[in-house]
Structure formats: C-alpha cells, structure tokens
C-alpha cells in the first residue's frame, strides 16, 4: 500500500479582507495523535477543513494522501432536517458504501468476462476487497451501533428525522459514524462536545487504539493530556508544533514566556543605559565653557576641544542606539493573570452577617425563585469561600449567577451580596454589532485616560497592540470573551462569578486563568463542565438539577485520567 502523507506548505486562505491562514506550513507523520489548539476564531477549524479538502486555499500546496481513507467530522452535520438517521450514517460512511457498491458491481460482471479483461477485473477486484477488508466494511454498521451506545444514544431509530434530534445528538451521531468508518486519517473538530464523562473515557480509549493518524481540534485539556502525542497551536494564521503532548506543550509555553521576559528585561536595561549615556554626556558638555580666554590658546584649548568632540560622538552614538531600540522594541511579556480584591473596603462591602471574619457571609439567598428556572430556599456563601457549581445543561447554573450578580430579578425571595461583584459571563456582553474599538470597549465606564487604559489592557497579554483599534464587532466570539475577561481581571472585585470560562478560550489561557482563580482571595462562585478544572478544584461543591440544589458538600475532586 502507498505510504500516507500529510503536508501543507505556505497555505494562505482569506475571507474577504480577513486572512485566516497566512503561509501556514505543517507536516504530520503517520500515526501521530495531534491536538490542534488556539483561541476561538484563530483558524483551527479552517485548518482542519483544508486538510480534509473541504476548503480550497487561495495559495499554497496541500498534499494529503491516506490510502486507508479519511474521516472528517466538522462541528455541524451538513444535512437537511428531513434527512433520517440512516441518511446521516450513509453520508458519513460514503466511501465505505462506495467500495461495497463497486465490489458488488464488479462481482456481477466477472461471469461475463474472459481473457485479459477477466484478468484485469480480478486484479481490480482483489485491490477493492483488500481495501474493503482493511476497513472491515462488513462490520461498519455494527460499529455504528456500538459507538452510538457508548456515546449515549443506544437503540437510536434509523428512520428518525434529524430535525427531531438535538444539536448534541446530531453531533454524537456524526461522531459515531465517523469512528465506525475506521479510516486511516481521522480529522475531528471538537469531538468532546456534548459528551458525558463515560462517553469521553470511551472516546479517548477508542482513539488511543486507532491504527492511523488523528488530528483533533479541541479545548478539552483532559482529552489533550490523555490522547495527544503532539500539539499544534494555530495563532496569527500560522501553525507551530510542540512535541511531548500536552505536558510538553505547557512546559514549552512556560519556557517561551521566560525567554520573552529575559529579552524584554535586556531591552529595557540597554535602553536605560543608552539614555543615561546620552544624558550624562550632554550634562558634561554643558559644563565646558563656550568661549575660552585668550590665555588658554595652545595645548589647553586642544584638550578642551578633544573632550568636547568625544562627548559629542558618545551622545550621537547613544541617541542612535536609543532610536533603534525604540523603533524595534522587545515584546513586553504579559503580566500573570491575577484577580484583584480588596475585601472589606469596597463600596457596599459590609458583611451581610455578623461573626468572625472568615465566617462572615458574602452571599445570602433566602427563598429565591425564578419561575421555571431556579428555586433556592436558602443558600449562604462565606466571605472568601470558593464554590464550584455543577449540574446538567438547563439546571439553572447561569440563572443562579445572574441572580447573585443582580442581572436576573427573582420572582420571589431576597438576595444579599457583600462587596463589589465581578461577573465573567458565558456569553460576552460585547456583541457582533458593537462598533466601538477594542480599547474603547475595554475603557467603557472607567475613569482615566485612554493611554492608561491601553497600558492596562496590553499588560494583560490578552490583546496585541495592533488589535486595540479594531472594531469589537469584527472580533471572534473567543476574542470578545477575552475582552470580557480583560475587564474583569483589571477590576477590583470582592465576589467573583465565573460562568463556563473554558468555552471560548485557548487551553493555555485557561491554564493561567485557573491558577488566577485558585489564588483569588475573595469569594468565588465558579460554573464549569471542564473535567480538568473540576478535578483540580479545592473547595465547596454545589450540584444543581432542575433549578434546585441537590447536593452541597466540600467534597473531593475525582481524578482525571492520565
């Protein structure tokens, strides 16, 4: 069989005036398990579609050869709602079905051929059956049923219309069929979405055992740690490889940060030194008399001119060096993410209840009800306490945070919150129609001038300087989430509410955010489905279901598979 190959060279793809992939080059070796990471909107899905041949770049060379077939799982199944489950399975298994049809057609013709034509047909038949058997084509439908069962859709009726399935069910159906096709090259775009822990464990084991190459776009850090041998980070339209899996990627990113810090410190030190040289020599020149007395003609005058000439040269050289350093500054490393708090002194920061400082309440809900969404007879969160809220979709988690933030008015009951509240929402308050620049959106409602706000925003490392004048409406969903995060992280907060922070942020940024949350000295209420975040969380755990608290415990984290 021909060797497989996956090489992209100088790939450029743009939409209108926006460049998504910019001279991107990438090679993946056969058998690698590659995790593709990056911020939302960075071009990860576009990269996968180019590899699959679903998108044609404007420039560059795409060489993808997988003799054992390619399976491509986009985030959405491109079939009309009237299509059936059976139609969807046939759509995903199209190349296996085509092999079976070609074999059947050839079998019907063999009895009518003889001589050289028969010899050619037999060779073709042998090649087709070898490919079909290598894919275990006869077992494809059985594998679909197994995968559907393990992914939480046992006994799914194949006559059922796709329009009657939820988005998550359609995604799991497409994933089951893609895996059942058993192609050599698997291209999976966010395959962990909508899967529970059991389904995630099965999927990880299935991909570990895959005899071929896997490229998976994902934000799931546990999945990356459990599965990948290589990480590819898409940023600025380019792709960069990192070896040694998720752990190697994190170590390399930390080393990059340290190199950036050292280069920036050297740049600052050199700039300061050259500025001091220029200033010192200017001062020295100013102390040399402008006009010498007649008696000083001779050797003394020569020495004065020499000293003046040397100082002039040093000033000129230092100023030229300052100009070059200023024109080509070293990149400033981002500050470590840190949520600010000033517990007890913020406006309105008096404790709700009396008692020792650690036992004072920051949040008290009494008989709170939001019809059809939330019913909490009583809930108290102590000042400085960290709480993780979990539960199924629609359980009322975001509604609970909205009530605490004062953004959702309860139909009954009272809410008391001590101190300044920061709310990092699941859906950014910045919309696609926002005409403000990134800098003006960040600065909105804040005292101070734009220069101060620009410095504060750049220090977070969440946006480069060239993005500050961009309209907010042009940002991706993930970039708007980062702008929301930038505002929260630069605001003094006593009670911090964080709703599904991993949804639109890169895994590397989530790692840093997680460290900042753990170090936050104020009161934290965190909603997250992220397995790694849940496993590492140390603090109180509350479980909601159908709007009610069904469990409330300090608990202990369940281990993440590694």
């Amino acid at each position: 069989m021909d060797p497989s190959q996956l090489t992209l060279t100088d790939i450029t793809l743009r939409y209108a005036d926006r460049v998504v992939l910019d001279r991107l080059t990438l090679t993946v070796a056969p058998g690698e398990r590659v995790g593709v990471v990056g911020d939302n909107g960075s071009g990860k899905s576009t990269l996968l579609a180019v590899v699959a041949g679903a998108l044609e770049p404007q420039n560059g060379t795409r060489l993808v050869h997988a003799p054992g077939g390619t399976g491509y799982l986009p985030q959405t199944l491109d079939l009309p709602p009237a299509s059936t489950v059976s139609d969807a399975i046939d759509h995903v298994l199209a190349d296996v079905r085509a092999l079976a049809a070609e074999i059947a057609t050839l079998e019907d013709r063999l009895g009518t051929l003889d001589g050289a034509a028969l010899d050619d047909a037999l060779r073709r038949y042998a090649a087709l059956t070898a490919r079909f058997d290598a894919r275990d084509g006869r077992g494809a439908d059985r594998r679909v049923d197994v995968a559907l069962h393990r992914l939480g859709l046992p006994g799914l009726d194949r006559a059922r219309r796709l329009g009657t399935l939820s988005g998550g069910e359609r995604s799991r159906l497409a994933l089951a069929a893609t895996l059942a096709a058993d192609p050599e090259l698997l291209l999976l775009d966010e395959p962990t979405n909508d899967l529970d822990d059991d389904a995630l464990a099965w999927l990880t084991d299935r991909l570990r055992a895959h005899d071929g190459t896997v490229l998976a776009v994902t934000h799931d850090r546990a999945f990356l740690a459990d599965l990948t041998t290589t990480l590819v980070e898409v940023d600025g339209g380019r792709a960069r490889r990192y070896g040694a899996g998720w752990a190697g990627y994190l170590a390399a990113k930390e080393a990059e940060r340290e190199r950036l810090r050292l280069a920036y410190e050297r740049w600052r030190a050199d700039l300061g030194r050259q500025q001091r040289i220029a200033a010192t020599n200017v001062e020295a020149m100013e102390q040399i008399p402008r006009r010498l007395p007649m008696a000083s003609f001779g050797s003394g005058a020569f020495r004065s001119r020499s000293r003046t000439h040397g100082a002039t040269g040093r000033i000129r050289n230092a100023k030229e060096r300052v100009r070059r350093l200023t024109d080509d500054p070293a990149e400033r490393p981002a500050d470590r993410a840190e949520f600010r708090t000033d517990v007890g002194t913020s406006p309105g920061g008096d404790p709700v209840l009396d008692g020792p400082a650690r036992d004072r309440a920051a949040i008290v809900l009494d008989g709170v009800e939001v019809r059809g969404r939330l019913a909490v007879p009583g809930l108290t969160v102590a000042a400085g306490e960290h709480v993780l809220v979990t539960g199924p979709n629609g359980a009322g988690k975001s509604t609970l945070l909205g009530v605490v933030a004062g953004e959702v008015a309860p139909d009954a009951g009272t809410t008391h919150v001590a101190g300044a509240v920061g709310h990092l929402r699941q859906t950014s308050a910045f919309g696609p129609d926002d005409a403000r620049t990134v800098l003006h959106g960040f600065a909105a409602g804040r005292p101070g001038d734009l220069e101060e706000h620009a410095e504060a925003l750049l220090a977070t490392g969440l946006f480069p300087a060239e993005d500050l004048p961009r309209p907010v409406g042009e940002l991706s969903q993930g970039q708007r989430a980062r702008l929301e995060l930038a505002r929260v992280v630069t605001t003094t907060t006593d009670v911090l509410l964080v709703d599904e922070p991993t949804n639109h942020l890169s895994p590397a940024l989530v790692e840093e955010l997680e460290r900042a949350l753990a170090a936050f000295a104020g009161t934290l209420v965190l909603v997250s489905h992220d397995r790694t975040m849940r496993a590492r969380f140390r603090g109180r755990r509350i479980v909601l279901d159908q709007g009610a608290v069904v469990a409330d415990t300090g608990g202990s984290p369940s281990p993440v598979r590694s």
Side-chain angles (χ1 to χ4, degrees), residues 15-28:
Y15 295 112
D17 59 347
R18 178 176 172 242
V19 177
V20 181
L21 303 180
D22 183 15
R23 292 172 294 160
L24 180 146
T25 295
L26 175 66
T27 298
V28 176

Side-chain angles (χ1 to χ4, degrees), residues 332-335 340 430 437-444 446 449-470 472 475 479-490:
R332 175 179 174 174
D335 293 340
R340 306 172 184 176
F430 297 101
T437 66
V438 168
L439 178 55
H440 282 87
F442 173 78
R446 297 183 167 196
D449 59 42
L450 282 179
E451 187 173 338
E452 292 172 339
H453 294 310
E455 184 175 352
L457 178 53
L458 291 174
T460 67
L462 295 170
F463 287 91
E466 56 266 27
D467 275 354
L468 268 58
R470 286 184 63 189
V472 170
L475 300 180
Q479 289 171 318
R480 293 198 295 271
R482 289 168 70 175
L483 184 55
E484 189 93 43
L485 174 60
R487 281 179 61 88
V488 173
V489 82
T490 55

Side-chain angles (χ1 to χ4, degrees), residues 255-456:
E256 285 177 14
R257 178 193 282 271
E258 182 62 13
R259 285 195 298 271
L260 194 64
R261 185 189 68 80
L262 291 174
Y264 183 71
E265 291 301 326
R266 286 194 297 268
W267 176 83
R268 285 186 61 191
D270 194 6
L271 180 61
R273 183 169 57 253
Q274 299 301 328
Q275 289 172 332
R276 288 192 298 273
I277 289 171
T280 299
N281 281 277
V282 166
E283 184 178 351
M285 283 189 63
E286 288 177 347
Q287 295 183 15
I288 297 175
R290 290 170 181 255
R291 183 176 297 173
L292 298 176
M294 292 294 292
S296 66
F297 276 100
S299 62
F302 178 79
R303 285 194 297 274
S304 295
R305 285 197 300 274
S306 297
R307 285 194 293 271
T308 302
H309 176 74
T312 301
R314 286 191 292 274
I315 292 169
R316 183 172 60 250
N317 290 340
K319 286 185 174 181
E320 175 61 18
R321 179 64 178 163
V322 167
R323 184 189 66 78
R324 291 180 180 178
L325 289 168
T326 304
D327 288 346
D328 186 23
E331 182 181 351
R332 175 179 174 174
D335 293 340
R336 291 283 186 186
E338 179 182 4
F339 291 98
R340 306 172 184 176
T341 188
D342 192 10
V343 178
T345 61
S346 298
D350 294 335
V352 175
L353 302 179
D354 294 330
R358 187 66 188 171
D359 295 333
R360 293 180 298 176
I363 302 170
V364 176
L365 272 61
D366 186 10
V368 166
E369 181 180 351
V370 179
R371 289 191 190 93
R373 295 160 61 189
L374 188 70
V376 181
L379 178 65
T380 300
V381 178
E385 190 172 18
H386 285 196
V387 180
L388 173 67
V389 181
T390 61
N393 290 337
K397 304 184 296 294
S398 296
T399 301
L400 174 64
L401 264 58
V403 168
V404 174
E407 298 165 3
V408 175
D411 297 305
T414 58
T415 303
H416 301 282
V417 181
V421 177
H423 189 188
L424 185 60
R425 302 164 185 82
Q426 186 174 162
T427 303
S428 173
F430 297 101
D433 297 326
D434 198 325
R436 293 175 296 180
T437 66
V438 168
L439 178 55
H440 282 87
F442 173 78
R446 297 183 167 196
D449 59 42
L450 282 179
E451 187 173 338
E452 292 172 339
H453 294 310
E455 184 175 352

Side-chain angles (χ1 to χ4, degrees), residues 144-271:
V144 170
D145 290 335
V146 171
L148 286 172
H149 179 79
R150 301 306 296 267
L151 295 173
L153 294 174
L156 183 62
D157 184 359
R158 296 204 176 192
R160 187 170 169 183
R161 302 289 182 184
L162 295 183
T164 67
L165 301 179
S166 69
E169 288 171 331
R170 288 195 296 271
S171 295
R172 282 179 282 164
L173 168 62
L175 175 58
T178 303
L179 296 174
D182 202 22
E184 177 184 350
L185 174 60
L186 276 171
L187 307 172
L188 308 176
D189 197 350
E190 297 291 0
T192 66
N193 285 357
D194 305 299
L195 301 185
D196 61 22
D197 288 351
D198 288 341
L200 286 166
W202 176 82
L203 174 62
T204 302
D205 288 340
R206 167 67 181 79
L207 294 178
R208 276 176 169 172
H210 179 66
D211 186 18
T213 306
V214 179
L215 263 75
V217 171
T218 183
H219 65 276
D220 189 319
R221 293 174 293 160
F223 185 72
L224 290 166
D226 289 349
L227 177 69
T228 59
T229 57
T230 304
L231 269 291
V232 169
E233 183 179 62
V234 182
D235 183 37
R238 306 289 182 90
R240 182 170 181 181
R241 285 175 58 97
Y242 296 84
W246 176 242
Y249 169 74
L250 291 180
K253 295 298 286 185
E254 189 61 30
E256 285 177 14
R257 178 193 282 271
E258 182 62 13
R259 285 195 298 271
L260 194 64
R261 185 189 68 80
L262 291 174
Y264 183 71
E265 291 301 326
R266 286 194 297 268
W267 176 83
R268 285 186 61 191
D270 194 6
L271 180 61

Side-chain angles (χ1 to χ4, degrees), residues 106-128:
L106 198 51
E107 286 175 340
D108 291 340
R109 291 183 56 221
L110 288 177
T112 66
L113 302 174
D114 57 19
L118 178 60
D119 291 340
D120 289 342
L122 287 172
R123 282 193 290 270
R124 175 65 177 161
Y125 182 77
L128 288 172

